[in-house]
Amino acid sequence: MEAAFAPVNKKLKIMHQTHTLSNGLRIIHEPSRSEVLYCGYVVCAGTRHEEENDSGMAHFIEHLTFKGTTHRKAWQITNGLERVGGDLNAYTTKQETVYYATILRQDFRRAADLLTDIVFNSTFPQHEIDKEVEVICDEIDSYKDSPSELIFDEFESLIFPNHPLGRDILGTKERLHEYRTADALLFTHRYYQPDNCVFFVYGNVDFNRIVRTLEKLTEGIGSAEAESVPRLQQTTATIEKPREAVTVFRHHDTHQAHVLIGSRTFGGRDPRRYGLFLLNNILGGPGMNSRFNLSLREHAGLVYSVDSYLATYPDDGLWEVYFGCDVADIERCRRLINKELRKMVEKPLTQNQLNAALKQVIGQIGISDDHLEQHAIGLGKTFAHYGRHKDSRQVVEHLRELTPQQLQEIAAEVYDVNCLTTLVYN
């Protein structure tokens, strides 16, 4: 099992290196021997950092950073890495916005220059805003046409009511049409500052070179004027879990019902998250032998797929299980889900069951580490939010320390069927 956590190049010892520039920019590097290099910025500005009347602003900014800077026009950004075979991309979450590039190692400076330019020097011209708003509105419409995706957004609003974590990442059409250049600049002056960002690199490049490159590229960025614009603090208000089961039905003209069942859970700093991660993998993880899959699909033939997920933020979390089925089978599927949850709560795993579950999840972690782009992004996000590097070996150590009794206690807290929230589209 240990071999799953050896570096891709076994002769290469993993040595994470970190540095903080004088302007506050944090840098983290993990070496590899590949000729391909992954790098980017994690900006600690997501949906939860928006003001209440700035719905969709973080995602809106992500789109607009590609539309021109003080040094580049939009077409120059589009072609900046493509012309050397590289790739430039970005995405927004509730917690952060990530800009990242995949290039050959000799093109590192080109990528760092382009990424730094769009993150810190975007100008948000109004004519580009007017065009891009329509693109985002089409994106909103595409979600409305896909109930299997739309249901996740509405479910989060039920789990995190009147809280930024419950807001839709895309925002609303009405508010998007009101945004102007000044709105975008205000948000970026507040959050798109070096001391609110992490630059990550996974690849075969000298760390001192990385530091020197970023020092030069970010020289003069991080003005006193920007510091005078206060940032919204990450909301940590207590969110009460329901004390009884809550079920919400929404009518959608679809061929099958879409169902989400779940609960608020632990944050990323809570040590119980390791146990919940393992329990979730047993119940509804990617393996075909997950208990939900065996019960609902293999034994009962009620669904095509059933999966459970964990969304973890530094201070909070969400567990949910999704399935689609015939409308007539909704209640039967819910009973089978509840049956598996009660088993976890009422009866601890045997040591043999725990050992088998550990063997499976450890193998999955090892395989996931070979998805290099996601590994690189995880490196940056972990450092941005927790101040440490991503270490699969430590995760495995924590998992191996778990006992059946600990897992049963966690299950009792999260999987109480009398306190779960259910959202049904039918």
Side-chain angles (χ1 to χ4, degrees):
M1 287 188 288
E2 290 292 344
F5 299 94
V8 175
N9 297 282
K10 295 182 180 179
K11 294 181 180 179
L12 180 66
K13 185 179 180 181
I14 294 181
M15 293 290 292
H16 296 92
Q17 294 176 284
T18 63
H19 182 78
T20 302
L21 300 183
S22 60
N23 58 19
L25 177 66
R26 291 168 289 164
I27 303 170
I28 185 167
H29 170 235
E30 181 181 317
S32 77
R33 295 204 184 281
S34 173
E35 289 299 305
V36 179
L37 183 142
Y38 306 87
C39 64
Y41 279 97
V42 176
V43 184
C44 297
T47 308
R48 71 179 311 172
H49 301 99
E50 299 165 353
E51 295 191 29
E52 193 168 353
N53 62 347
D54 280 344
S55 172
M57 178 60 77
H59 176 259
F60 175 76
I61 294 296
E62 175 224 311
H63 275 244
L64 268 296
T65 52
F66 291 84
K67 300 305 178 181
T69 72
T70 54
H71 301 98
R72 289 176 171 89
K73 296 184 181 299
W75 67 267
Q76 291 173 309
I77 295 172
T78 301
N79 291 308
L81 298 184
E82 300 286 343
R83 62 189 300 179
V84 294
D87 182 56
L88 177 67
N89 214 329
Y91 67 87
T92 305
T93 74
K94 298 292 178 75
Q95 191 69 38
E96 72 275 310
T97 305
V98 180
Y99 300 87
Y100 59 101
T102 305
I103 66 280
L104 293 177
R105 59 185 294 263
Q106 64 262 28
D107 296 315
F108 165 67
R109 195 189 189 287
R110 176 191 290 267
D113 184 15
L114 179 57
L115 286 162
T116 301
D117 196 25
I118 64 174
V119 168
F120 296 119
N121 300 314
S122 288
T123 54
F124 313 106
Q126 189 62 45
H127 69 279
E128 292 288 359
I129 288 177
D130 295 338
K131 289 190 296 183
E132 199 62 24
V133 163
E134 298 306 320
V135 173
I136 301 175
C137 287
D138 287 340
E139 187 177 358
I140 293 172
D141 287 338
S142 73
Y143 270 87
K144 291 180 179 179
D145 285 339
S146 180
S148 61
E149 296 182 7
L150 181 65
I151 193 172
F152 284 88
D153 289 330
E154 184 171 354
F155 191 72
E156 289 191 350
S157 71
L158 295 176
I159 295 294
F160 301 110
N162 303 312
H163 188 279
L165 287 176
R167 294 179 190 157
D168 190 340
I169 291 174
L170 299 182
T172 66
K173 290 184 179 182
E174 295 75 18
R175 189 68 184 99
L176 288 169
H177 278 107
E178 296 174 351
Y179 287 146
R180 297 294 179 264
T181 298
D183 300 311
L185 290 173
L186 178 62
F187 190 85
T188 52
H189 284 170
R190 175 179 286 147
Y191 293 107
Y192 279 57
Q193 297 296 326
D195 66 346
N196 200 44
C197 300
V198 162
F199 189 87
F200 62 89
V201 182
Y202 177 52
N204 186 9
V205 59
D206 179 71
F207 185 63
N208 289 329
R209 180 190 171 200
I210 296 171
V211 172
R212 290 194 303 269
T213 300
L214 270 296
E215 279 179 334
K216 185 172 183 179
L217 292 175
T218 64
E219 186 177 4
I221 299 175
S223 66
E225 179 184 356
E227 294 175 1
S228 69
V229 183
R231 293 178 188 144
L232 289 177
Q233 295 299 311
Q234 182 166 287
T235 304
T236 57
T238 301
I239 307 165
E240 293 292 334
K241 292 180 67 172
R243 298 183 180 181
E244 59 183 20
V246 175
T247 301
V248 177
F249 289 89
R250 297 277 190 259
H251 177 68
H252 284 257
D253 189 16
T254 57
H255 293 289
Q256 67 169 186
H258 301 270
V259 183
L260 266 175
I261 303 170
S263 173
R264 178 172 167 255
T265 64
F266 321 120
R269 295 188 177 93
D270 193 316
R272 292 174 295 176
R273 71 187 185 278
Y274 297 107
L276 184 58
F277 173 64
L278 181 59
L279 287 170
N280 181 69
N281 204 63
I282 295 170
L283 285 169
M288 293 181 65
N289 63 344
S290 72
R291 294 190 178 187
F292 288 153
N293 189 68
L294 291 176
S295 178
L296 274 69
R297 175 173 172 156
E298 300 302 325
H299 296 163
L302 296 174
V303 302
Y304 173 69
S305 64
V306 52
D307 301 282
S308 59
Y309 309 93
L310 288 175
T312 303
Y313 308 104
D315 58 333
D316 226 304
L318 167 65
W319 169 81
E320 57 194 353
V321 53
Y322 166 83
F323 61 87
C325 67
D326 189 279
V327 173
D329 295 325
I330 294 174
E331 291 309 314
R332 186 180 174 194
C333 287
R334 291 178 66 179
R335 287 196 298 271
L336 291 174
I337 292 288
N338 287 345
K339 181 179 179 180
E340 295 301 328
L341 295 177
R342 287 193 178 98
K343 286 181 185 178
M344 283 294 190
V345 172
E346 296 170 0
K347 186 177 181 181
L349 297 174
T350 66
Q351 193 59 51
N352 285 339
Q353 288 174 326
L354 176 54
N355 291 341
L358 285 170
K359 185 175 182 179
Q360 179 170 341
V361 77
I362 288 171
Q364 291 171 348
I365 293 171
I367 292 170
S368 70
D369 272 356
D370 204 41
H371 297 171
L372 302 184
E373 183 177 86
Q374 290 306 309
H375 178 78
I377 294 172
L379 179 74
K381 291 170 63 173
T382 301
F383 190 53
H385 300 308
Y386 303 102
R388 53 179 170 80
H389 62 79
K390 181 182 178 184
D391 191 338
S392 296
R393 291 180 184 272
Q394 286 188 356
V395 173
V396 171
E397 289 174 3
H398 285 295
L399 291 172
R400 284 181 171 149
E401 292 172 355
L402 293 167
T403 67
Q405 290 71 31
Q406 288 174 326
L407 291 171
Q408 186 180 19
E409 290 172 3
I410 293 170
E413 183 163 351
V414 178
Y415 300 146
D416 183 353
V417 299
N418 297 309
C419 299
L420 296 181
T421 298
T422 303
L423 177 61
V424 181
Y425 281 8
N426 65 353

